[in-house]
Amino acid sequence: MHIGIDSFVAAVTDPTTGEAVGPQQRMAHLLEEIALADQVGLYSFGIGEHHRPEYYDSAPAIILAAAAARTERIRLGSAVTVLSAADPVRVFQQFATLDLISGGRTDLVVGRGSFTEAFPLFGLPLSDYDSLFTEKLELLLQIRESERVTWSGRHRPALTGQGVYPRPAQERLPIWVGVGGSPESFARAGLLGLPLMIAIIGGEPRQFAPLVDLYRRAGAQAGHAPEQLQVGLHVFGYVGESTEAASDTIYPGWHEMFTKISRERGFRQPTRAQFDATSGPDGAFFMGSPQTVAEKIRRVSDQLGGVDRLSIQMTNPRLAHADLLRGIELLGTEVAPLVADA
């Protein structure tokens, strides 16, 4: 199993001083985090895409290109690119360029996103939420397969044989589908034979087992080889020296982040009891000592019939840069070796 990091490049308030970390310094910190992830042997680093004031990741390909010039081995990708609100031609061009800069270390994870700000920002109706993604994914896959593209659809002007350049360093740019909890999304990824990245932000990971089984059955019925049907998990988490230390470090930012989301979506305000349950053995949050996190990763992989990749999202608005660096170091040097053969 491959272990990596995802980041939404959250705006951070330093917990020791109470001062906001400016966006320029936050970007410098981020590049340091990615360089460390490369040094400690983590497999991948993904950057999300949001169009909100609390995140600085609206242009992930640019951030990843800067990281590519500072790293040697780590794979660099999106987590996720909001394809529904983007032009597939430009998405392919950007990530093919990133692939050239990185020497073939790029993965593209596409999805519809868990927030909706991108739709009005780019003049797209939310009523077309699903059809936009379906159509644009079809075009993106066609661009990957053919340098010159003939295609027509509802949401974008037709292509009549134009070439899409540059082409990536890899023979086929890896394209993963990011999903939440929709059975249709799991089945579609399986039918297309695309690797699956599941965003688990609540509940219990084992509850996704029937959906993963649906994905694999759909892929098998469509004639795709089992090794083609990879499963990845995007989860929240943090690794500390001990489970208690990890909990104390991460809780203030977790509470701030989920309080904001709960207010926006009309949910009940999160509590410490909820945090503890979410961080427990069966919860969605992968948090604790290296041994605790490794055991949980292995257990969840068994529950889902095998997981190929797991990326821990450590973004937190109250997490000090030094603490995040230490979490990355522990994940790479202690957790990843424990689960390498899971």
Side-chain angles (χ1 to χ4, degrees), residues 74-90:
I74 196 165
R75 294 194 67 81
L76 302 167
S78 56
V80 303
T81 292
V82 185
L83 185 63
S84 306
D87 181 350
V89 173
R90 289 298 286 156

Side-chain angles (χ1 to χ4, degrees), residues 17 27 39 69 78 92 100 124 127 131 140 153 178 192 194 201 206 287 324 328 334 340:
T17 66
M27 284 294 179
Q39 292 165 14
S78 56
F92 185 88
L100 295 173
L124 299 166
S127 58
S131 65
L140 181 65
L192 293 171
L194 296 174
I201 60 176
R206 62 186 176 187
M287 192 268 322
L324 180 50
I328 292 171
E334 298 195 26

Side-chain angles (χ1 to χ4, degrees), residues 224-249:
H224 301 297
E227 59 270 20
Q228 189 175 342
L229 302 172
Q230 299 180 65
V231 174
L233 303 181
H234 162 97
V235 300
F236 284 97
Y238 180 71
V239 186
E241 306 290 347
S242 67
T243 296
E244 182 180 2
S247 177
D248 291 343
T249 300

Side-chain angles (χ1 to χ4, degrees), residues 239 242-244 279-281 285-299 335 338:
V239 186
S242 67
T243 296
E244 182 180 2
S279 304
F285 205 44
F286 286 61
M287 192 268 322
S289 67
Q291 186 66 37
T292 297
V293 172
E295 289 174 357
K296 186 166 187 174
I297 291 172
R298 290 196 297 265
R299 182 168 59 254
V335 176
L338 290 173

Side-chain angles (χ1 to χ4, degrees), residues 34 39 64 96 145 151 169 171 178 201 224 262 283 306 310:
I34 300 174
Q39 292 165 14
L64 293 167
E145 298 306 317
W151 174 92
E171 184 175 349
I201 60 176
H224 301 297
S262 295
L310 184 138

